[in-house]
């Protein structure tokens, strides 16, 4: 384009010059030739230029193409590098991710292992004091010792040219192993020893008397306890089997995570142990079922015998009740025909004896098939009592008398005389051999013992040989107590008697009414004649004066209290009277004649010490 513009410019200039030289005809032809030559030159130049341009374009295009190829190649290489870098980066990330996952998986595995170990520790704690496992260890020891013994015997046979020492040592080892096996022979064929066998069912004799019912009930309870005990063995084995299953499963998981040899050994041992206990569980389950049926059969037979005995007891009780009803009706009928209480009392005793005799005969012929056995037993028992245990058996008979007669009860106040020693106290206990009483403050302790609060133990056989006084028998809670006051012979003893009686009535009125009611209740049991309960005052002439003996009813448990209350009251009342004088041992010598043969009847009443001090 640049050359073309130059050419056009040249043509324009040439044309301009041509126009100026038109006039000049001389040079027109030359100019034309020049122009034609110039055009040809221009065309040649233009053609050459085009060729050059074309070559240049081809070269540029080739350069551009090469450059483009190079750029594309560089770009492709760049993309390949980036892709490779990206792949490397991704591979690196993948490796790191795999490493992280591997570490995380390893951590989870360690955590899982720790968790499994904790579960194993927990199971071991539960199995720590399990008696079945301890027995299984004896079973395992028996098998090991048995295998060692067999190996020793084989070695004895194999070894040739043995010395005496070798023979001795080998035989000694054999004896030791045999002794060890004998000690744990219980576990020869059972992993739990004798526990695999239920308790033996003892043969029980037929029930022939009411006492046999108690033994039969105890026997039934024993059988039920045996059944429960054997069932508990099955439950313990089942529980142990479950724990061993759980432990085996945990060890299998642990071995899958960490393949240590000790884990494999433990899995092998646990598997064998579990199989042994599964076998034992099957045996015990079968045995328990059969044993339970056998026990139920024996219990049903025993209960049948018990029901027969209960029916027999019911019949005997019915006969006894009928006898008591008949006895009651007879007593009720006889009471209308006997006017005197003494006759009715004796008749009542005879009827009671006859009823007791009939009851004994009914019981005797109901439970003893051969009466001669009873006679023989009583003969031997009597001989034994007479020879060896007289005091003990007498105490037992005394206890029977005390209990059946009701002569002494716990809480009664009694008095016992033995070897010159008197003791008054309250009954604390009546045992098979002795009566225990606690001594209280009483008139006896005031006059005789001068001490109290002791615990006395009185053999029951004293009821046959010694005197025992009951202050509170058969509901009677009062006793007669007396106060003796001596007055002078010239005193008005009738007035003194009257004063004492009034004081007694005042203080003992409540006890008098109570005693009257209690005695009226005792008439049905005892023959009572003199039942006066009012206070009584007696007058006696003694060497040193006239004795006013005042008797009154008081509480058996507090007689000394009322005595100490009434004594000063009576004394003070006597001293207020001018014609009543308290007597005490004195001597008097009369020198002068006097109308008073006994001397001054009374000394002047002494003044109070306080009044004398005030006057001074």
């Amino acid at each position: 384009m640049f050359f073309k513009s130059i050419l056009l410019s040249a043509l324009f200039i040439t044309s301009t010059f041509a126009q100026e030289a038109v006039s000049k005809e001389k040079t027109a032809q030359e100019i034309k030739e020049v122009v034609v030559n110039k055009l040809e030159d221009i065309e040649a130049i233009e053609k050459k230029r085009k060729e050059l341009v074309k070559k240049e374009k081809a070269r540029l295009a080739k350069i551009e193409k090469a450059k483009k190829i190079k750029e594309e190649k560089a770009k492709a290489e760049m993309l390949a590098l980036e892709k490779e870098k990206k792949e490397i980066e991704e591979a690196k990330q993948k490796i790191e991710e795999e490493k992280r996952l591997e570490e995380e998986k390893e951590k989870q595995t360690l955590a899982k292992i720790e968790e499994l170990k904790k579960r194993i520790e927990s199971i071991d704690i539960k199995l720590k004091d399990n008696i079945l496992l301890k027995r299984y260890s004896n079973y395992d020891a028996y098998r090991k010792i048995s295998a060692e013994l067999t190996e020793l015997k084989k070695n004895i046979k194999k070894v040739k040219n043995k010395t005496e020492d070798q023979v001795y040592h080998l035989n000694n080892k054999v004896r030791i192993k045999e002794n060890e096996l004998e000690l744990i022979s219980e576990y020869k064929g059972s992993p739990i020893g004798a526990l695999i066998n239920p308790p033996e069912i003892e043969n029980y004799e037929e029930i022939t008397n009411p006492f046999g019912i108690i033994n039969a009930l105890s026997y039934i309870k024993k059988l039920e306890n045996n059944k429960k005990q054997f069932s508990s063995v099955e439950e313990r084995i089942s529980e142990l089997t479950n724990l061993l299953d759980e432990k085996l499963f945990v060890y299998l998981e642990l071995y899958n995570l960490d393949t240590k040899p000790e884990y494999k050994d433990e899995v092998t041992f646990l598997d064998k142990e579990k199989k042994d206990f599964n076998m034992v569980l099957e045996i015990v389950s079968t045995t328990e079922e059969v044993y339970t049926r056998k026990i139920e059969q024996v219990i049903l037979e025993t209960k049948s015998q018990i029901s027969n005995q209960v029916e027999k007891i019911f019949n005997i009780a019915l006969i006894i009740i009928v006898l008591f009803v008949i006895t009651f009706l007879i007593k009720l009928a006889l009471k209308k025909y006997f006017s005197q209480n003494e006759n009715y009392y004796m008749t009542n005793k005879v009827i009671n004896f006859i009823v007791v005799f009939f009851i004994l005969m009914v019981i005797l012929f109901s439970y003893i098939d051969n009466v001669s056995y009873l006679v023989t037993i009583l003969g031997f028992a009597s001989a034994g009592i007479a020879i060896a245990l007289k005091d003990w058996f007498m105490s037992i008979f005394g206890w029977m008398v005390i209990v059946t007669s009701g002569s002494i009860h716990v809480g009664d106040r009694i008095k016992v005389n033995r070897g010159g020693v008197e003791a008054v106290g309250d009954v604390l206990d009546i045992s098979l051999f002795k009566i225990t009483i606690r001594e209280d403050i009483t008139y006896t302790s005031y006059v005789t013992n001068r001490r109290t609060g002791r615990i006395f133990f009185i053999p029951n056989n004293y009821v046959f040989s010694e005197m025992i006084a009951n202050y509170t028998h058969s509901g009677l809670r009062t006793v007669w107590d007396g106060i003796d006051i001596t007055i002078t012979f010239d005193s008005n003893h009738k007035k003194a008697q009257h004063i004492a009686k009034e004081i007694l009535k005042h203080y003992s009125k409540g006890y008098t009414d109570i005693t009257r009611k209690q005695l009226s209740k005792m008439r049905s049991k005892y023959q009572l004649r003199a039942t006066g309960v009012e206070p009584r005052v007696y007058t006696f002439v003694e060497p040193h004066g006239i004795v006013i003996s005042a008797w009154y009813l008081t509480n058996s448990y507090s007689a000394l209290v009322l005595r100490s209350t009434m004594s000063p009251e009576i004394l003070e009342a006597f001293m207020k009277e001018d014609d009543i004088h308290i007597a005490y041992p004195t001597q008097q010598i009369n020198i002068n004649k006097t109308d008073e043969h006994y001397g001054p009847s009374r000394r002047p009443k002494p003044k109070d010490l306080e009044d004398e001090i005030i006057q001074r």
Side-chain angles (χ1 to χ4, degrees):
M1 288 300 293
F2 177 73
F3 292 103
K4 191 177 181 179
S5 59
I6 295 173
L7 182 58
L8 290 174
S9 300
L11 289 175
F12 178 75
I13 295 169
T14 306
S15 63
T16 303
F17 286 115
Q19 289 177 2
E20 291 179 357
V22 169
S23 58
K24 298 175 177 180
E25 292 178 3
K26 187 181 183 179
T27 61
Q29 192 67 25
E30 293 177 0
I31 294 169
K32 187 177 178 179
E33 291 177 358
V34 171
V35 170
V36 172
N37 291 331
K38 291 288 184 186
L39 287 172
E40 289 177 358
D41 293 334
I42 290 171
E43 286 178 0
I45 293 168
E46 183 67 22
K47 186 178 180 181
K48 190 177 182 179
R49 186 188 63 79
K50 285 181 178 179
E51 290 177 357
L52 292 173
V53 169
K54 188 177 180 180
K55 288 180 180 180
E56 185 65 23
K57 284 183 178 181
R59 189 181 67 81
L60 290 174
K62 190 177 181 180
I63 293 170
E64 188 69 24
K65 185 178 180 180
K67 184 178 180 182
K68 189 175 181 181
I69 291 170
K70 190 175 181 180
E71 289 178 354
E72 287 179 356
K73 187 177 181 182
K75 189 176 181 181
E77 290 178 355
M78 185 64 69
L79 290 173
L81 287 173
E82 288 180 356
K83 185 178 180 181
E84 185 178 357
K85 186 178 180 182
K86 188 176 181 181
E87 288 177 354
I88 292 171
E89 193 69 27
E90 288 178 353
K92 187 177 180 181
Q93 289 179 357
K94 188 176 181 181
I95 291 170
E96 289 179 355
E97 183 68 20
E98 289 178 354
K99 186 177 179 181
R100 185 181 64 80
L101 291 174
E102 189 69 25
E103 290 178 354
E104 191 171 324
K105 186 178 180 181
E106 187 177 355
K107 287 182 180 178
Q108 290 178 355
T109 303
L110 291 174
K112 184 69 174 176
I113 290 172
E114 289 297 324
E115 182 183 353
L116 293 174
K117 287 182 178 179
K118 287 182 180 178
R119 286 178 61 184
I120 291 172
E121 289 178 0
S122 176
I123 295 171
D124 287 338
I125 290 172
K126 293 179 182 178
L127 298 174
K128 182 179 179 182
D129 296 324
N130 194 294
I131 188 65
L132 297 176
L133 284 181
K134 295 184 182 299
R135 285 178 166 267
Y136 185 80
S137 64
N138 292 333
Y139 169 72
D140 195 40
Y142 184 90
R143 291 190 302 180
K144 290 179 181 178
I145 295 171
S146 180
E148 292 175 1
L149 181 60
T150 305
E151 190 67 25
L152 281 173
K153 289 181 179 179
K154 288 182 181 179
N155 291 335
I156 291 174
K157 293 179 180 179
K158 288 179 180 179
V159 177
K160 297 180 179 180
N161 300 324
K162 299 183 290 292
T163 62
E164 291 183 0
D165 291 337
Q166 289 177 339
V167 172
Y168 174 77
H169 286 303
L170 288 173
N171 290 329
N172 192 28
K173 287 182 180 180
V174 169
R175 283 195 297 273
I176 291 171
K177 295 299 178 183
E178 288 177 347
N179 290 334
E180 290 177 354
L181 286 179
E182 187 177 356
L183 289 174
I184 55 176
S185 59
E186 177 186 351
Y187 303 93
K188 181 177 181 180
S190 171
I192 59 173
L195 288 180
I196 200 170
N197 299 317
E200 185 179 355
I201 300 176
E202 300 175 356
N203 293 326
Y204 187 72
E205 297 180 358
E206 185 179 357
I207 303 172
T208 58
N209 55 69
F211 299 102
I213 295 176
I214 300 173
N215 295 330
L217 293 174
S218 300
Y219 178 67
I220 291 172
K221 187 175 180 181
K222 182 181 178 180
L223 291 178
E224 290 176 346
N225 289 334
N226 290 342
K227 182 177 73 172
K228 189 182 295 183
Q229 180 181 354
F230 194 66
S231 299
S232 68
V233 172
E234 182 185 5
E235 292 175 0
R236 284 186 289 167
I237 295 173
S238 178
E239 182 181 353
L240 177 60
T241 306
N242 294 332
L243 289 174
L244 291 176
D245 282 337
E246 184 180 356
K247 189 175 180 180
L248 178 60
F249 177 75
V250 173
Y251 264 109
L252 284 172
E253 288 187 357
L254 188 61
Y255 181 70
N256 291 331
L257 295 174
D258 187 4
T259 56
K260 289 183 178 180
E262 56 265 25
Y263 295 158
K264 185 178 180 180
D265 295 339
E266 191 68 27
V267 167
T268 305
F269 176 75
L270 286 172
D271 184 61
K272 183 179 178 303
E273 193 175 34
K274 187 194 73 169
K275 289 179 181 178
D276 289 338
F277 276 106
N278 283 331
M279 177 199 62
V280 172
L281 182 61
E282 291 177 2
I283 296 172
V284 170
S285 298
T286 306
T287 307
E288 195 269 338
E289 185 177 354
V290 176
Y291 185 68
T292 301
R293 286 201 298 268
K294 180 64 176 176
I295 283 180
E296 288 175 354
Q297 178 186 351
V298 175
I299 288 175
L300 286 175
E301 293 175 356
T302 308
K303 285 184 177 180
S304 176
Q305 294 184 26
I306 291 173
S307 62
N308 293 335
Q309 283 298 317
V310 170
E311 184 178 356
K312 191 174 183 179
I313 292 170
F314 177 77
N315 293 333
I316 294 172
L318 185 62
I319 294 171
I320 293 173
I321 290 171
V322 170
L323 286 175
F324 275 118
V325 171
I326 293 172
T327 303
F328 176 74
L329 294 176
I330 292 173
K331 288 181 179 180
L332 192 64
L334 292 176
K335 193 171 184 180
K336 297 179 180 179
Y337 295 100
F338 288 101
S339 58
Q340 295 182 0
N341 289 330
E342 183 177 359
N343 295 332
Y344 176 73
Y345 174 76
M346 292 301 297
T347 305
N348 189 25
K349 288 289 185 183
V350 172
I351 291 172
N352 290 338
F353 177 77
I354 294 171
V355 170
V356 172
F357 177 77
F358 272 112
I359 291 172
L360 289 176
M361 289 298 102
V362 169
I363 295 173
L364 186 67
F365 288 104
S366 297
Y367 291 105
I368 298 178
D369 297 330
N370 192 344
V371 181
S372 61
Y373 293 161
L374 179 63
V375 176
T376 304
I377 292 170
L378 290 176
F380 281 111
S382 300
I385 292 170
I387 295 172
L389 302 173
K390 177 183 176 183
D391 293 337
W392 279 22
F393 278 100
M394 289 299 291
S395 293
I396 293 173
F397 287 133
W399 174 79
M400 293 173 62
V401 169
I402 291 169
V403 172
T404 55
S405 65
S407 57
I408 301 173
H409 297 90
V410 174
D412 286 352
R413 172 156 290 191
I414 63 173
K415 181 177 182 179
V416 182
N417 294 319
R418 175 69 176 179
V421 178
E422 295 183 359
V424 178
D426 301 329
V427 178
L428 301 178
D429 181 47
I430 301 175
S431 64
L432 194 61
F433 297 103
K434 63 182 180 300
I435 302 172
T436 305
I437 68 170
R438 181 180 181 274
E439 192 180 22
D440 198 4
I441 301 175
T442 60
Y443 189 71
T444 301
S445 59
Y446 166 69
V447 175
T448 306
N449 298 329
R450 300 305 299 174
R451 64 177 58 85
T452 187
R454 296 170 292 183
I455 302 295
F456 282 88
F457 301 98
I458 305 161
N460 291 334
N461 58 13
Y462 278 18
V463 298
F464 302 119
S465 58
E466 303 295 334
M467 188 188 76
I468 300 177
N470 194 339
Y471 288 68
T472 55
H473 176 63
S474 190
L476 192 64
R477 294 292 183 268
T478 55
V479 292
W480 286 95
D481 193 14
I483 300 174
D484 293 341
I485 299 179
T486 304
I487 60 177
T488 58
F489 289 110
D490 61 342
S491 298
N492 190 344
H493 61 86
K494 291 184 178 180
K495 183 189 286 188
Q497 188 176 2
H498 176 73
I499 291 171
K501 195 167 188 176
E502 292 299 321
I503 293 174
L504 295 180
K505 286 181 179 180
H506 174 70
Y507 281 97
S508 66
K509 185 178 184 306
Y511 300 118
T512 301
D513 297 337
I514 292 171
T515 306
R516 186 179 290 109
K517 294 177 182 179
Q518 292 171 346
L519 290 176
S520 64
K521 292 180 181 179
M522 291 178 65
R523 287 180 182 275
S524 60
K525 187 175 181 181
Y526 296 102
Q527 178 65 26
L528 297 175
R529 290 184 177 179
T531 57
V533 294
E534 296 298 328
R536 305 172 191 179
V537 180
Y538 301 98
T539 304
F540 303 102
V541 177
E542 297 292 341
H544 298 288
I546 299 174
V547 176
I548 305 296
S549 183
W551 293 83
Y552 57 93
L553 285 165
T554 182
N555 191 340
S556 302
Y557 296 96
S558 58
L560 202 61
V561 176
L562 186 60
R563 183 186 184 91
S564 65
T565 302
M566 293 173 59
S567 296
E569 288 286 335
I570 296 173
L571 182 63
E572 186 177 353
F574 281 2
M575 292 184 68
K576 287 181 180 178
E577 302 297 330
D578 294 334
D579 54 351
I580 299 175
H581 313 294
I582 304 299
Y584 47 88
T586 57
Q587 290 182 351
Q588 182 176 350
I589 300 174
N590 292 325
I591 298 175
N592 299 324
K593 293 182 179 180
T594 176
D595 295 333
E596 297 178 359
H597 303 286
Y598 300 103
S601 60
R602 185 176 179 182
R603 295 174 61 187
K605 183 178 180 181
K607 295 180 181 180
D608 291 340
L609 182 61
E610 186 178 356
D611 294 337
E612 292 180 1
I613 293 172
I614 291 173
Q615 289 177 2
R616 290 178 184 176

